[in-house]
Amino acid sequence: MSRALCYVAPQQCALRPVDPEAAFAALQKEERPALVRTLWSAISRGTERLVFEGRVPASEHDRMRAPLQDGAFPFPVIYGYAAVGVVERGPAELVGRTVFALAPHQERFAAPASLLVPVPDGAPARRATLGANLETALNGVWDGGAGPGDRIAIVGGGVLGALLAALLGPTPGAEVTLVDPAPERAAVADALGVGYAAPEEAEAVAGGSDLVFHTSATEAGLATALALAGAEAAVVELSWYGDQAPRAPLGEAFHSKRLRLISSQVGQVATPRRARWSHGRRMAKALSILRDPRFDAIISEEIGFDDLPEAMPRVLGRGTGGAGLATVVRYPDVKATD
């Protein structure tokens, strides 16, 4: 037997026994299965907070279902989609390989080999847990069509905003500004090679932007994003609000500036790439990008797997985080990072 983190009720979770051996045997009937021992997983604050609070809309229960999810929304459900581990059994070409999977927080799990993406040499397993969120950020960059020399604002300095900053910062000649009310984000922006501004200062440095990305999932952040967009610019909305209905300030200068509000979501490959890119190719590219050590600045905390039930209310609590960005989960046979 193994253990997995299970969301059992609003704002309650526990480690529950699971049987990956039985799941492996069941998959053998129709799939080429693999058995994976997890090394690290990552907590997606935005999505998992909605799961933790029982706020996944009924209309989205099917679309929100993770590939290896056990149970159904709202509760009890074993949920998660950013795990990195070592293949212990399965196809010969995968045994012993470190792989990324859209899998829950679980010590060992069985999965079809087709769902496992090998982690390339040079991308540490701990950093590779950012793969799912980086795939979302990469899709957003494609949806927005950022180019050299653009003035770009990223409103919301959480994990997704920081990943966007890491991707867009090296764009030749681009002026990229990370906008967030937490002053601690200035150090993150500096580590990623982009500028920083608090919302009340953003107009001076990022007003009239050619392209704006919004990731804060707040009404105030959306208003800031629309205000920073220049004439005929695009605002790419990557926030997901769950069952909330945020007010969008579409009065004032929204129409006179002829702004475009673009929805970006990872479920489909962005339209400019969809004819040529599969989901697998996109994930493999995200993992290869994570060879870059700059991305370590986005991981701010690691938690032992045994400590997860006690830690999750703090990690997923409203208004928590401060300077915190990505939280990763360390599994029992992995040493703590200094």
Side-chain angles (χ1 to χ4, degrees), residues 211-214 222 225-226 229 233-237 259-263:
L211 180 62
V212 182
F213 294 89
H214 178 231
L222 179 55
L226 291 168
V235 176
V236 180
E237 176 60 275
L259 300 182
R260 290 179 296 134
L261 186 58
I262 300 172
S263 169

Side-chain angles (χ1 to χ4, degrees), residues 93-333:
E93 69 273 16
L94 287 177
V95 173
R97 294 289 304 272
T98 300
V99 295
F100 178 92
L102 299 171
H105 309 290
Q106 186 166 320
E107 290 175 303
R108 291 166 73 238
F109 62 88
S114 59
L115 292 185
L116 306 180
V117 184
V119 175
D121 293 342
R126 181 177 184 266
R127 192 189 304 155
T129 59
L130 296 173
N133 282 324
L134 183 58
E135 190 181 22
T136 302
L138 183 61
N139 215 49
V141 170
W142 290 342
D143 274 323
D150 280 347
R151 175 176 287 183
I152 302 168
I154 302 165
V155 179
V159 173
L160 187 53
L163 288 169
L164 285 165
L167 290 175
L168 294 165
T171 306
E175 304 170 35
V176 183
T177 304
L178 186 65
V179 180
D180 193 276
E184 297 91 345
R185 295 291 189 259
V188 176
D190 185 61
L192 299 175
V194 302
Y196 164 80
E200 61 273 15
E201 305 164 343
E203 180 64 34
V205 293
S209 286
D210 301 292
L211 180 62
V212 182
F213 294 89
H214 178 231
T215 70
S216 80
T218 65
E219 291 182 357
L222 179 55
T224 297
L226 291 168
L228 293 179
E232 302 197 357
V235 176
V236 180
E237 176 60 275
L238 289 109
S239 302
W240 194 59
Y241 299 86
D243 59 0
Q244 291 181 312
R247 292 173 296 178
L250 301 184
E252 300 178 350
F254 178 78
H255 287 292
S256 63
K257 289 201 293 185
R258 297 180 57 85
L259 300 182
R260 290 179 296 134
L261 186 58
I262 300 172
S263 169
S264 182
Q265 196 266 349
V266 73
Q268 296 190 59
V269 175
T271 302
R273 299 292 188 279
R274 195 175 304 165
R276 300 174 301 282
W277 285 72
S278 65
H279 287 82
R281 181 184 177 190
R282 185 180 63 184
M283 175 55 79
K285 177 57 66 177
L287 290 172
S288 72
I289 291 171
L290 288 169
R291 291 187 177 106
D292 187 340
R294 289 184 308 134
F295 288 93
D296 283 334
I298 298 173
I299 299 175
S300 58
E301 180 184 19
E302 61 183 57
I303 296 170
F305 178 73
D306 289 332
D307 299 324
L308 263 183
E310 181 180 348
M312 287 300 254
R314 172 184 59 80
V315 173
L316 298 179
R318 296 279 168 176
T320 63
L325 287 171
T327 297
V328 295
V329 181
R330 182 184 66 253
Y331 286 75
D333 22 348

